[in-house]
Amino acid sequence: MISTCAWNKNARKDAEAIHSLRLKAADGAWVLMDLGGRIPDLSGPPQISRDDVQRRVVIQANGQESRDMGFPVVADIRQAIDSEVDLPAGYSVDIGGQYENQQRAQQRLAMVVPVAVGLIALLLYFAFGSVAQAALILVNVPLALIGGILALALSGQYLSVPSSVGFITLFGVAVLNGVVMVEAINHRLRDGEALETAIFEGAVSRLRPVLMTALTSMLGLIPMLLATGVGSEVQRPLAVVIVGGLVSATGLTLLVLPSLYAFFSSKKAVELQR
């Protein structure tokens, strides 16, 4: 039995006060805690945390700046745990932090991107009244994707949440350039020009607007592209994707879209020439 002074809050924090506590033995004698043994000084967690009625111990670490914080680092951690750590029964390891946030964001983007592309296709169909011409304009999406991926590889960046958002922005600009190109060709067909002439003249007339749109977007992103301070880990991947994608999308839009127009829009061209 412990005397009443054992419940003093100050005594709990002072080792000497704990040593001087009086304990009542089974025969009724009172003895000091110090006579029964010494209390060792041991280190322990300053706070015991629990998740789902289970104790949780947090181990924090930062990945190398040159490595993706996602799959490669996590795969190395899991491999090291499986090969070198023998977890007792009832113990488990969960990896969270920025990796968990990244996985959650990428799962959302995996739903948002297809929905965004689908809505763009629907709006294009309503604007041109033709599935073929909507598909022709959407050819710009993989053309822009090529440049964005190459830019990430050349700059040493990884596919992250900011770069994924950059791809969504890039798709919008690429589709806008395609709309400008196809509408210029359609306008000449309505005026009665021949198909080959309308395609050539429409592509030439839209050369300057398409280049101006791409150049102004790229020039505006140069500060983000060259950023090195706080926030550059978000700004640079986004800017790299957009700039690289615009380079490929602009060049290929001016060449590929006019070349594919006759294949995708032969029936639509006949309707416009009537």
Side-chain angles (χ1 to χ4, degrees):
M1 177 179 179
I2 303 177
S3 66
T4 55
C5 68
W7 304 105
N8 188 347
K9 293 183 179 180
N10 295 327
R12 301 177 188 177
K13 302 178 181 179
D14 188 357
E16 295 300 327
I18 296 176
H19 291 157
S20 63
L21 290 176
R22 293 184 300 158
L23 303 178
K24 188 174 183 180
D27 57 359
W30 290 88
V31 296
L32 291 176
M33 170 74 80
D34 190 50
L35 298 178
R38 299 290 298 178
I39 300 177
D41 294 331
L42 300 175
S43 61
Q47 179 180 355
I48 298 177
S49 303
R50 289 181 173 86
D51 288 335
D52 298 330
V53 201
Q54 292 183 342
R55 288 188 178 183
R56 171 172 58 87
V57 177
V58 178
I59 300 176
Q60 296 181 338
N62 294 324
Q64 295 179 355
E65 185 177 354
S66 59
R67 300 192 66 192
D68 182 11
M69 72 175 181
F71 178 75
V73 175
V74 173
D76 291 344
I77 293 174
R78 294 191 185 278
Q79 182 180 2
I81 293 174
D82 294 338
S83 60
E84 301 178 14
V85 179
D86 186 14
L87 294 176
Y91 283 73
S92 61
V93 177
D94 293 326
I95 299 178
Q98 291 184 344
Y99 170 75
E100 184 180 11
N101 295 334
Q102 181 196 44
Q103 295 300 305
R104 187 183 302 114
Q106 287 185 345
Q107 289 176 359
R108 293 175 180 173
L109 286 172
M111 296 184 294
V112 170
V113 173
V115 171
V117 174
L119 290 176
I120 291 174
L122 186 62
L123 293 175
L124 291 174
Y125 172 74
F126 288 149
F128 292 95
S130 171
V131 175
Q133 288 201 336
L136 174 63
I137 296 173
L138 287 178
V139 170
N140 271 356
V141 171
L143 299 182
L145 193 65
I146 293 172
I149 294 175
L150 287 177
L152 285 177
L154 294 175
S155 63
Q157 301 287 332
Y158 299 94
L159 181 62
S160 59
V161 175
S163 59
S164 300
V165 175
F167 275 113
I168 297 177
T169 305
L170 176 62
F171 294 161
V173 178
V175 168
L176 176 61
N177 289 339
V179 169
V180 171
M181 178 69 68
V182 172
E183 181 59 30
I185 298 174
N186 288 346
H187 179 72
R188 280 165 171 73
L189 289 174
R190 294 191 191 98
D191 292 341
E193 293 185 7
L195 179 60
E196 292 78 7
T197 304
I199 293 174
F200 179 79
E201 295 294 336
V204 172
S205 66
R206 295 298 95 186
L207 173 62
R208 186 177 299 173
V210 169
L211 289 178
M212 288 180 60
T213 301
L215 287 175
T216 53
S217 300
M218 288 188 287
L219 291 175
L221 290 171
I222 286 179
M224 296 175 61
L225 190 64
L226 302 178
T228 56
V230 178
S232 60
E233 68 278 2
V234 175
Q235 298 175 3
R236 288 189 64 193
L238 188 145
V240 165
V241 166
I242 297 178
V243 171
L246 284 177
V247 171
S248 66
T250 302
L252 294 176
T253 296
L254 297 172
L255 298 175
V256 175
L257 242 65
S259 302
L260 296 177
Y261 184 92
F263 176 77
F264 277 88
S265 303
S266 56
K267 294 182 179 179
K268 184 68 176 179
V270 173
E271 295 177 3
L272 295 172
Q273 288 176 325
R274 291 177 180 174

